[in-house]
Amino acid sequence: MRRPIIAGNWKMNNTKQQTKELLTDLIPLVADAEAEVVICVPYTSLWQAGDMIRGTNIKLGAENVHWADKGAFTGEISADMLLEQGVEYVVIGHSERRQYFGETDQTVNARVKTALAKGLKPIICVGETLEEREGGKVEEVLVRQTTEALKDVDKDALDKLVIAYEPVWAIGTGKTATAQDANDTIAIIRDTVAKLYCEKCAQEKLRIQYGGSMNPKNAKELMAMPQIDGGLIGGASLKAADFSQVVKYNG
Ligand code: 13P
């Protein structure tokens, strides 16, 4: 019903040459994958990656998009610029953007609305910090982030976007949420969307990924959970062998 989607988030990694090397190895390794496969790459690698994956089963993603059509926003990239490069998916509201670059629930919402209006598919990141988790605020944080990100987003868009639950304390730390914990927390997000829209849309249309130290060793267990529809993979997406094993989590 909800097709699994495994996306690599390269973050600020891979020059053009490294992109070429990684994709040369990756393309044949994932050619027979059952899951939808996406790579979200730095702007400077979009052309190279797009050119290499054309005609394959790998889809192209970017790591951010501005909400304005164009204008005086030095250093930013517009949806039209991404579309011109063949981009289909775009990561929005990653915790690193929230932590280091002043991203707020409001700017996330603005980016999401523009991306959807332009025909890009947002991968919207939500997740609590360790402090919030220890303070018993997981539900409060996720309900707020999800609700704000989807403000004024139409029900019809729910199958054109993906939510990624990424507990901040599990990103790049080697600590993974247990599969059960990730599943239960994702259920909170799905329940929030059900309340905002309808139960059926949240169950049938919305795909929710887990992200945070997901790797070849834990992918199968995480993907076996009923609420988890995919993964957003950081470190393990930088090695073709590792990423392909996550993509083909069933062995
Ligand atoms: P890691 O897989 O390196 O923990 O990163 C997860 C992430 O932030 C993906 O967006």
Side-chain angles (χ1 to χ4, degrees), residues 32-82:
D32 58 348
E34 280 170 28
E36 189 173 351
V37 187
V38 183
I39 49 166
C40 301
V41 309
Y43 300 131
T44 47
S45 285
L46 283 174
W47 189 89
Q48 177 76 39
D51 194 46
M52 289 182 74
I53 64 180
R54 193 167 301 124
T56 75
N57 60 328
I58 304 177
K59 294 174 176 172
L60 190 61
E63 299 179 16
N64 198 6
V65 61
H66 198 263
W67 55 82
D69 269 6
K70 60 177 180 174
F73 300 101
T74 303
E76 291 293 323
I77 298 277
S78 75
D80 286 337
M81 292 168 184
L82 297 181

Side-chain angles (χ1 to χ4, degrees), residues 9 11 94 96 125 166 170-173 211-214 232-236:
N9 174 12
K11 309 190 179 183
H94 192 279
E96 286 146 18
C125 301
E166 298 206 311
I171 296 177
T173 58
S213 299
M214 193 160 161
L232 186 56
I233 323 299

Side-chain angles (χ1 to χ4, degrees), residues 151-164:
K151 202 168 163 199
D152 301 324
V153 169
D154 198 79
K155 182 170 80 175
D156 294 342
L158 287 182
D159 55 3
K160 296 173 190 72
L161 60 84
V162 174
I163 294 181

Side-chain angles (χ1 to χ4, degrees), residues 2-21:
R2 304 190 303 254
R3 185 177 178 209
I5 175 168
I6 307 285
N9 174 12
W10 289 6
K11 309 190 179 183
M12 196 173 73
N13 292 290
N14 291 328
T15 60
K16 201 168 137 187
Q17 180 60 28
Q18 289 163 335
T19 297
K20 193 172 171 185
E21 287 165 15

